[in-house]
Amino acid sequence: MTSRQNHHRVRAERGIPEATVARLPVYLRALTGLQDRGVATVSSEELAAAAGVNSAKLRKDLSHLGSYGTRGVGYEVEYLVYQISRELGLTQDWVVAIIGVGNLGRALAGYGGFASRGFRVAGLLDADESIVGQEISGMTVEHIDRLEDIIAGHGVSIAVIATPAGAAQGVCDRVVAAGVTSVLNFAPVVLSVPDGVDVRKVDLSIELQILAFHEQRKAGGPGDYDPVAGGGAPPGATQYVEA
Amino acid sequence: MTSRQNHHRVRAERGIPEATVARLPVYLRALTGLQDRGVATVSSEELAAAAGVNSAKLRKDLSHLGSYGTRGVGYEVEYLVYQISRELGLTQDWVVAIIGVGNLGRALAGYGGFASRGFRVAGLLDADESIVGQEISGMTVEHIDRLEDIIAGHGVSIAVIATPAGAAQGVCDRVVAAGVTSVLNFAPVVLSVPDGVDVRKVDLSIELQILAFHEQRKAGGPGDYDPVAGGGAPPGATQYVEA
DNA sequence: GCGACTTTGTGCGCGTATTCACAAAGGCTT
DNA sequence: AAGCCTTTGTGAATACGCGCACAAAGTCGC
């Protein structure tokens, strides 16, 4: 049976709730920011403010990792950074392959956030002969035919799919067959994968549509037209985020 | 008061659950795919499969929009496309400005998914003098100084922030002051905005970290214990640098 | 026109997530 | 050493989302 993009996975014995896992990277970023500013300890209230969450939620999230705070004082920044990094698996390197070197693939290849957090790009692959061989961000684009070689050879464990929609499922099947169990999908399709494979999806178009929905509602509900709804203070407006 | 990205639904009278709103674009995409293949009607089971969700969930989601199905038959594709489009506010055009024309901004500017769904890019803006004036995807990059002019002049209602982290909050404050109430943020920071402004965040690095977490667990738990598990000694652990 | 069949729409129970509010725990001052 | 003050960690209440399972509703064949 093929499972679909279901992020509400079963808890393991160690059981960190999925919602918590999704917030840990945010805390981590806030913490490294504090670290850079030389802050040694931080209270849950301060850190929660920096991360944009409720402080009780932050404390409960951190409590799932263990008791790393000191009552009356707060959390030691450096130690917390280490604990969260370890929990997220960032104390080791992860090897990534980017498949599809169009506009987006190029942007991803040049994204600094990869290397800085322990993600190493082992290869850029594309099916287009005119792109293969090009040098991008210091890497040479390989032909998609070499997909299996590269995955096996470099020990790729995360595949980033940035192909056109039509090619995505086929590529996904191949990377999964080659042993990859984590996929980050930028193509606007729902990927089917076997159980045990994680897929996360990033979709610009969907995000815009969700924004449009709320924007429309601020402007007066479905059917009403007024895209230039700026300025005003919408009553009972909503706040969202999250990805 | 400045609310951050914690969020909670303040249900309006019309009250479509946020979880449902987030799925509507997925259904819409599946439906247009069916439409292209000439399918006239579809059952909840089929559509759910195409969208990668449970069929009961699909039916419940659609029931929030009204009763657009026929028992014993299914849903008329064309009609459903229209209803969802209308609910999402896609029957009107939304004017978008992209701020920050680096690798990512360029990719976004060239992204076909904009126009196809009623999102019109009214401007590309950047602070870098060497980029201003360049022609990208048929548009000329404007200087960030013209931000307010462009927002007002074109009736921009959605701002896409693709700047470096350090510049994001400042840009956000400016677009909000200029009347924009919907922001799509690609910068790796938590933006603070006044109530009534929606922020959605897309963060590659966070997605990768979540995948890493699950990948690590599959590999045998957050172990790989470091002998130096001591308190203040974050060993040669990964060093984090803000992108 | 009628019965069998298909598919929707939804009531209900369950598990997860969020938030409040407070007792327990530790540091700091005197 | 004792008491005060701050902040953590968590019990409990609430809200939310999911999916099963089924009755209601409509179609289709005869």
Side-chain angles (χ1 to χ4, degrees), chain A residues 2-25:
Chain A
T2 50
S3 77
R4 304 170 192 84
Q5 278 86 333
N6 180 6
H7 296 153
H8 300 273
R9 295 197 63 72
V10 237
R11 281 204 205 177
E13 74 294 340
R14 188 70 175 278
I16 295 181
E18 184 59 24
T20 295
V21 172
R23 284 187 293 267
L24 289 180

Side-chain angles (χ1 to χ4, degrees), chain B residues 133-217:
Chain B
Q134 279 185 23
E135 185 95 356
I136 292 177
S137 297
M139 310 196 57
T140 303
V141 178
E142 311 258 10
H143 193 277
I144 186 75
D145 285 349
R146 297 207 50 226
L147 181 61
E148 286 77 9
D149 291 345
I150 290 170
I151 288 175
H154 290 80
V156 170
S157 54
I158 300 177
V160 175
I161 298 182
T163 65
Q169 183 64 59
V171 165
C172 178
D173 292 345
R174 284 180 66 184
V175 300
V176 169
V180 170
T181 53
S182 291
V183 175
L184 182 53
N185 177 34
F186 286 86
V189 289
V190 176
L191 294 177
S192 284
V193 294
D195 280 344
V197 177
D198 283 330
V199 177
R200 294 194 67 87
K201 189 169 139 195
V202 174
D203 194 316
L204 168 64
S205 180
I206 286 178
E207 299 301 323
L208 282 174
Q209 288 174 49
I210 294 170
L211 282 175
F213 171 84
H214 292 298
E215 190 67 25
Q216 173 181 240
R217 171 166 293 170

